[in-house]
Amino acid sequence: MTKNLIITTKIERWNDLVSLDQKFLKKFVFRGQADSSWQLATSLERMVRLHTPNYIDRHLPTIYEHDMLADFKWKYPLYEKFIIPSLEDNVEWLSLMQHYGAPTRLLDFTKSLFVALYMALDNSFAESSCIWGLNSAFIDEPTVKLCLFEQGKISGVVTDSELKAFARKKANSYIEHYCSDTPKELYL
């Protein structure tokens, strides 16, 4: 028996949105997009596809990201003197880059359906906008903690702050490894 993982709901009137089960929606995170034909893709993926539509090198987005990240880390302190992340905290640097409009591998979601609705409708010139909703129960913390415990990555009782620190450390390590491990030449 196959479970239906994608459920599409068309909302045409404000009352349709208000009548959605609010208790059920609390389990979801949302992403508003101005065009319903867009897939879930990061701004970095969209930028690479726009500038090199037929790219086949899977390292190309990482090469672009590595160069932009290095430039941003170098230039950001010229404009901001007080809040400067450590050089190793690539997740924080990517968050700052995304805040200032640079393409990154990050994909924003919100717990608020109404924030997602605003993002979907703001500057939308498409025929229809869309809101993606992901059931966060599939990625809940107890499941993640159990998985990490079984893999021997953590032991004992883990607090939320320890879990977040562990996830941030793994993400930074992954980004640093990928940035240092990719070829720096582009072959066209």
Side-chain angles (χ1 to χ4, degrees):
M1 181 176 174
T2 307
K3 290 184 179 181
N4 192 3
L5 297 177
I6 298 176
I7 300 170
T8 304
T9 303
K10 190 170 187 176
I11 296 177
E12 296 177 346
R13 293 179 306 281
W14 181 255
N15 285 343
D16 296 340
L17 183 66
V18 174
S19 68
L20 290 173
D21 183 356
Q22 297 300 315
K23 188 175 181 181
F24 173 73
L25 290 178
K26 288 184 190 270
K27 298 176 184 174
F28 283 78
V29 292
F30 304 96
R31 176 175 175 77
Q33 295 191 160
D35 190 331
S36 62
S37 67
W38 294 348
Q39 296 296 314
L40 283 180
T42 67
S43 55
L44 180 64
E45 292 170 312
R46 289 194 307 268
M47 181 207 61
V48 170
R49 263 191 242 121
L50 178 68
H51 293 293
T52 53
N54 297 323
Y55 82 93
I56 55 172
D57 184 357
R58 65 181 179 85
H59 293 293
L60 195 55
T62 308
I63 293 168
Y64 279 122
E65 181 183 62
H66 177 265
D67 292 344
M68 288 186 298
L69 188 58
D71 284 349
F72 192 83
K73 285 179 178 181
W74 178 65
K75 293 178 183 175
Y76 182 74
L78 298 173
Y79 301 100
E80 174 60 56
K81 303 291 183 212
F82 302 107
I83 304 172
I84 301 174
S86 72
L87 289 176
E88 297 79 33
D89 195 354
N90 291 312
V91 173
E92 187 69 26
W93 283 105
L94 290 175
S95 297
L96 282 170
M97 287 174 61
Q98 183 155 345
H99 174 73
Y100 287 106
T104 69
R105 69 173 67 205
L106 304 178
L107 195 58
D108 288 331
F109 280 85
T110 178
K111 290 183 178 183
S112 170
L113 176 63
F114 298 103
V115 170
L117 179 63
Y118 173 80
M119 298 309 289
L121 298 177
D122 186 42
N123 297 322
S124 175
F125 299 105
E127 186 176 311
S128 63
S129 303
C130 77
I131 297 174
W132 288 85
L134 301 178
N135 189 340
S136 60
F138 287 110
I139 52 172
D140 65 347
E141 290 180 28
T143 305
V144 173
K145 287 179 183 178
L146 180 62
C147 178
L148 293 174
F149 179 76
E150 288 174 350
Q151 294 175 6
K153 305 286 185 191
I154 57 175
S155 59
V157 178
V158 180
T159 65
D160 287 342
S161 61
E162 289 173 322
L163 180 64
K164 288 176 184 174
F166 176 79
R168 183 180 219 102
K169 182 179 176 185
K170 291 302 273 185
N172 281 322
S173 170
Y174 177 80
I175 293 167
E176 190 60 40
H177 169 73
Y178 243 91
C179 285
S180 64
D181 199 28
T182 56
K184 301 298 183 247
E185 300 85 19
L186 290 176
Y187 299 101
L188 302 176

